[in-house]
Every structure is written in C-alpha cells, then in structure tokens.
Amino acid sequence: MATGRVRNRLRTFAARPGECSETVNAGIKNLYLTPAVKRKPRVCIESMPSEMLLKIFSYLDAVSLLSIGCVNKLFYDLANDKVSGLSWIIVLKEKNGKEHVVEKASLSFKDTSVTILWYSTNWPCLDVVSTLKLFGVTPLLLDQSRPPSKNGPRRRSLIAEYHLANLTESSVAVGGDSLVQLFSLNPGLLVGIWKEKNEIAFVMVSLHYHQLLERSILGSATVRYAPPLNKPAFDDIDPEYGLHDYSLHLEMHGRSCTYLRGTFRNLFCRKGDIANGYLRLTVVSLKDNRKHLPLIGTLGLSWETDVFKGNVKDCYMMNLTLLDEIGEPFWCFSAPVHMELSSRTSGLYDYMGHIYTTNYADSEGKVCIKLIWLEETKEYIIVNLVLYVSTKKVNNWYGTNY
C-alpha cells in the first residue's frame, strides 16, 4: 500500500515537457486544495529516509526530477543532489552593459510558492544598475552518474525582468526596519536597500508553483516562456450570471513562518457584482462574523545577509491560487504586500480595535483585505476579503463579453 502511494505521489509531478502544465496544476489541486479529512496516521513519502528517497528518485528521468524538485525544500535538495541541477539566479546589468551574476541563495518552500533570497557583499552600486533579470538555470548536459557542476555549461530560462533605474523614486516602498527599506516590483520582487548607504542589501523574489517548472526551463535567455491559450470548457449556465463555483487557496507568510493558510469554496458573483472593469468575488464578508479569520502571530517579513538579520513589521508574502469552476488555475500569484493603518477604528460590536488594510493589484485583478488588531488577544482578525477579477482576463479566458 505504501509503495502504491509513493508511485501515485511521484506520478503527479512526473511529466514530459509538453505535459508540464497539467501535471503541476494537478499537483497543486490534489495536494493543497482538497477538503481536510481526519484519517488514521500513516507513513507519507516526506517521512521516508533520505537514502530511500534518493533510491526512488534515481529511477526518474531529468524532467521528472525537475518537477519533483518544485514540491518542497527536501525534494529540491535531494533532486539537486542527484542530477536535476535546477536553480535560480539573478543578473544585474549596469547602464554601461556590465553584468553581475548572483547565485548564492536561500530558499524557503511553502504550500504554493518558493521564496528565494540572494545576498552578497559585492553588489554593484544602486545608482548605476539599470535592470535585474531572474533566470531558471539547468545544466546543458545532464549526467545521472554524477551531481551537476556549476562550472559546466548551463541553460538559462528568463522568468522576469525588472527595471531598477530610479528604484527608490519610482517603486513602491512596502516597509522597513532600523537597517533596511523594502521596495517592491511586480511580479513578486523585493529589493532591500541599506538605509544609511542607499546600497543593495539583498534581493528577494517569491515564485508561485503554477507553471514554475515551465517558466524555469522552457524559456530562453532572452524570451520568457509563453503559456498556451486557454480552451474554455463548455458551460451551459447563462453567462449573464457571472462567475460561479470558484475556489480560492490563500497563504500569508513571513518567509520563515505562516500566518494564514485557508481554502474557500463556492465563490461566485452575479451580474450586479460586475462594475468598473472588474467582477467582484466576496470571500469574507464584513457582515458575516462566522467567516472572520484570526491570523497566527504578528505579521512581519524576515530577511538576512551574511552579517545581519531582521524582520520588517506589517510586511508579508501573499500567495493566491484562484481555481475556476472545473478546477483549473485561473489567477495565481505570489507577491510581497504590506498593511496600512487606517485612521478609523472598528465599529463592529464583536471587535473593537485599529483597522488595517492590505491592497494588491496586477494586470489580472485586485485583492482588498481589511483586518482588525485586537489588543486584548494580540491578534489580527480578517473581517473583509474581496477579490476583483479583471473583466478583460475573464473575457480572454472564456470568450465572453462582460
């Protein structure tokens, strides 16, 4: 029985290059978005000895090893110890064309994302940096008889490119502590700047697992991976009804700890919820205190360098996975966000305290969260959570005309 479960778990993430999307998407849905059911304790693959896992992994092909390396930190370390060699690097380019490659990184795996932190004592001067490129890197020649060599030829797959010119003037500051100030760029990038020197302290990026394997290996050094167009499934429900039977998996974490992990089902919107270019999905309603959610711990985002460590209060990573009515990933992102203190206090009978808000926006939608800080219990309560999905995104997905 245990052997069968191991095969099934590995089969979820083993795929040929053309099958990566369906494979990784199925992994997300099957592993993280199923209802919690109390069962008798049983042995799971993560609890098996590393030597046994390495033996199992030795039967996998290179693409399967790359896939399984995206599951969690243990699998990533074991797969890379064998032959896959998947890693992520950043390349900073100066205005004069000179490039700086930064490879030393610290990885933190969550349910639906991996957060990568690069730190160095040799960063180029911030004033001369023009762009930062994020690449997935794999060995050009794989040899299953030996671990991958960083000195050998490697293939780069461009994941994202960011413009850092005038970073502190043109980008959003999401917080800071006594040592650093954090600046955010979409998708998912954080740049830590030393306050006293106005120089780079570290670079952090959060990558959602959705199509991460494809983005990390199927792009080129100059062109990002382009996902295939969606083929909408037949739906006999009146399109005037709007979205229906959507599911949301939400994580809020500070890189080293998790504050919230929740799944919300049966989300929908009606025609009256469509306005100003967005379809509104209400996840947590201000009026329904049965669904209000407490967070675990005080929100903050941890960072580190070779010498210093810190934690930026009221800043955290948000991982969002929105599935459509047939369970396909519809909108996925992992990004740094921050809380802002509102000038108002709560008027709710059940909660009296300061109100905080978190807002996130990209080309596909917006997320608006309202929290209340309870001084007595030292915890945050989410009292309102609303998604605004772009009508352009919905129309492109379904071929509708909202």
Side-chain angles (χ1 to χ4, degrees):
M1 290 294 291
T3 303
R5 287 194 295 271
V6 169
R7 290 199 190 101
N8 291 337
R9 188 78 176 269
L10 293 179
R11 192 180 295 117
T12 302
F13 289 89
R16 294 184 293 275
E19 298 175 338
C20 290
S21 281
E22 295 181 3
T23 300
V24 177
N25 295 344
I28 293 174
K29 290 181 288 184
N30 292 338
L31 293 179
Y32 309 120
L33 298 173
T34 51
V37 178
K38 291 185 178 181
R39 297 175 180 171
K40 294 181 180 180
R42 64 180 184 181
V43 177
C44 62
I45 188 171
E46 289 91 343
S47 65
M48 297 174 67
S50 296
E51 294 79 9
M52 187 177 297
L53 289 172
L54 279 173
K55 182 64 175 178
I56 296 172
F57 291 177
S58 69
Y59 291 99
L60 301 178
D61 57 61
V63 174
S64 300
L65 280 169
L66 290 172
S67 299
I68 206 155
C70 292
V71 176
N72 57 37
K73 181 67 164 62
L74 172 62
F75 287 7
Y76 177 84
D77 289 339
L78 293 176
N80 275 275
D81 182 62
K82 195 62 180 169
V83 295
S84 77
L86 172 62
S87 61
W88 295 279
I89 66 170
I90 53 175
V91 177
L92 292 93
K93 187 175 182 179
E94 295 185 10
K95 297 173 183 177
N96 62 8
K98 183 179 179 180
E99 292 187 342
H100 302 262
V101 180
V102 185
E103 299 198 17
K104 183 179 180 181
S106 172
L107 280 70
S108 174
F109 289 83
K110 297 299 178 184
D111 275 4
T112 53
S113 74
V114 55
T115 303
I116 311 169
L117 174 70
W118 292 271
Y119 49 89
S120 169
T121 56
N122 237 355
W123 294 105
C125 179
L126 182 61
D127 293 334
V128 303
V129 174
S130 60
T131 61
L132 182 153
K133 292 183 179 181
L134 169 65
F135 293 95
V137 178
T138 50
L140 191 61
L141 302 173
L142 287 174
D143 183 354
Q144 293 199 8
S145 65
R146 64 183 67 181
S149 171
K150 287 189 176 181
N151 297 323
R154 294 186 294 173
R155 184 179 185 279
R156 292 182 180 182
S157 176
L158 179 64
I159 298 176
E161 181 176 358
Y162 308 89
H163 296 279
L164 298 190
N166 304 314
L167 175 68
T168 56
E169 291 83 16
S170 59
S171 301
V172 179
V174 295
D177 56 19
S178 60
L179 296 175
V180 299
Q181 188 82 9
L182 301 186
F183 293 88
S184 173
L185 290 169
N186 276 340
L189 181 75
L190 266 182
V191 181
I193 306 297
W194 295 117
K195 281 188 172 180
E196 294 185 357
K197 298 181 179 180
N198 196 35
E199 296 178 354
I200 298 175
F202 59 85
V203 173
M204 188 185 303
V205 69
S206 192
L207 300 173
H208 196 283
Y209 290 153
H210 177 53
Q211 296 180 336
L212 176 57
L213 180 61
E214 295 92 326
R215 290 181 287 155
S216 299
I217 68 174
L218 297 183
S220 71
T222 57
V223 179
R224 292 188 290 267
Y225 164 75
L229 295 176
N230 177 63
K231 296 180 180 179
F234 174 74
D235 189 347
D236 60 357
I237 293 181
D238 186 350
E240 292 295 313
Y241 180 71
L243 306 182
H244 57 91
D245 202 24
Y246 271 51
S247 298
L248 168 68
H249 184 71
L250 182 68
E251 284 183 280
M252 297 164 60
H253 67 90
R255 184 170 159 268
S256 60
C257 56
T258 299
Y259 306 116
L260 174 72
R261 182 191 294 114
T263 298
F264 310 87
R265 304 184 187 279
N266 302 317
L267 304 179
F268 64 92
C269 79
R270 299 184 175 90
K271 188 176 180 180
D273 297 324
I274 305 173
N276 302 318
Y278 293 97
L279 292 87
R280 186 178 74 239
L281 292 171
T282 300
V283 183
V284 177
S285 172
L286 191 66
K287 298 178 180 179
D288 188 357
N289 59 10
R290 296 172 301 172
K291 295 183 179 180
H292 293 170
L293 297 169
L295 303 187
I296 301 173
T298 303
L299 295 180
L301 185 64
S302 61
W303 61 270
E304 62 183 285
T305 66
D306 286 319
V307 179
F308 298 101
K309 293 183 179 181
N311 187 280
V312 178
K313 186 181 177 182
D314 296 340
C315 184
Y316 59 94
M317 291 291 183
M318 179 189 295
N319 302 338
L320 181 144
T321 307
L322 183 64
L323 304 181
D324 65 17
E325 69 273 15
I326 63 171
E328 289 297 318
F330 177 79
W331 180 26
C332 302
F333 70 80
S334 181
V337 295
H338 67 288
M339 295 194 309
E340 292 184 352
L341 176 62
S342 172
S343 58
R344 299 185 303 164
T345 56
S346 171
L348 296 177
Y349 178 78
D350 294 327
Y351 311 115
M352 299 298 293
H354 291 291
I355 297 176
Y356 289 82
T357 59
T358 291
N359 296 289
Y360 169 85
D362 61 25
S363 62
E364 299 191 352
K366 301 186 295 184
V367 182
C368 298
I369 302 177
K370 182 178 290 186
L371 310 95
I372 295 178
W373 170 253
L374 300 183
E375 183 65 31
E376 297 79 6
T377 57
K378 303 296 182 183
E379 64 181 346
Y380 291 100
I381 304 291
I382 294 180
V383 296
N384 198 220
L385 170 55
V386 182
L387 308 184
Y388 294 90
V389 183
S390 165
T391 54
K392 182 178 179 180
K393 162 75 172 178
V394 175
N395 291 337
N396 289 339
W397 188 267
Y398 293 110
T400 51
N401 188 30
Y402 288 120

Short mmCIF file of all heavy atoms in Angstrom, two decimals, residues 128 146 165 168 179 245 347:
data_model
loop_
_atom_site.label_atom_id
_atom_site.label_comp_id
_atom_site.label_asym_id
_atom_site.label_seq_id
_atom_site.Cartn_x
_atom_site.Cartn_y
_atom_site.Cartn_z
N VAL A 128 24.04 52.85 -10.58
CA VAL A 128 24.46 52.51 -11.94
C VAL A 128 23.70 51.30 -12.50
O VAL A 128 23.88 50.94 -13.66
CB VAL A 128 25.98 52.24 -12.01
CG1 VAL A 128 26.75 53.44 -11.51
CG2 VAL A 128 26.36 50.98 -11.21
N ARG A 146 26.67 11.54 -11.87
CA ARG A 146 27.37 12.49 -11.01
C ARG A 146 26.50 13.73 -10.78
O ARG A 146 25.65 14.05 -11.60
CB ARG A 146 28.71 12.90 -11.62
CG ARG A 146 28.58 13.65 -12.94
CD ARG A 146 29.94 13.97 -13.54
NE ARG A 146 30.62 12.75 -13.95
CZ ARG A 146 31.84 12.73 -14.48
NH1 ARG A 146 32.51 13.87 -14.62
NH2 ARG A 146 32.39 11.59 -14.84
N ALA A 165 16.28 51.34 -12.53
CA ALA A 165 16.69 52.74 -12.59
C ALA A 165 15.72 53.58 -11.77
O ALA A 165 14.50 53.43 -11.87
CB ALA A 165 16.73 53.21 -14.05
N THR A 168 14.25 53.89 -5.92
CA THR A 168 13.68 54.46 -4.70
C THR A 168 12.67 55.57 -4.99
O THR A 168 11.83 55.88 -4.14
CB THR A 168 14.79 55.00 -3.79
OG1 THR A 168 15.57 55.96 -4.52
CG2 THR A 168 15.69 53.86 -3.32
N LEU A 179 17.39 48.94 9.76
CA LEU A 179 18.54 48.77 8.87
C LEU A 179 18.21 48.93 7.40
O LEU A 179 19.01 49.48 6.64
CB LEU A 179 19.18 47.39 9.09
CG LEU A 179 19.80 47.13 10.47
CD1 LEU A 179 20.29 45.69 10.56
CD2 LEU A 179 20.96 48.09 10.72
N ASP A 245 -18.92 28.93 -8.64
CA ASP A 245 -18.24 27.73 -8.15
C ASP A 245 -16.71 27.84 -8.23
O ASP A 245 -16.03 26.89 -8.55
CB ASP A 245 -18.72 26.50 -8.91
CG ASP A 245 -18.48 25.23 -8.10
OD1 ASP A 245 -18.37 25.32 -6.86
OD2 ASP A 245 -18.38 24.14 -8.70
N GLY A 347 -16.05 49.72 14.20
CA GLY A 347 -17.35 49.95 14.81
C GLY A 347 -18.12 48.67 15.01
O GLY A 347 -19.29 48.69 15.40
#
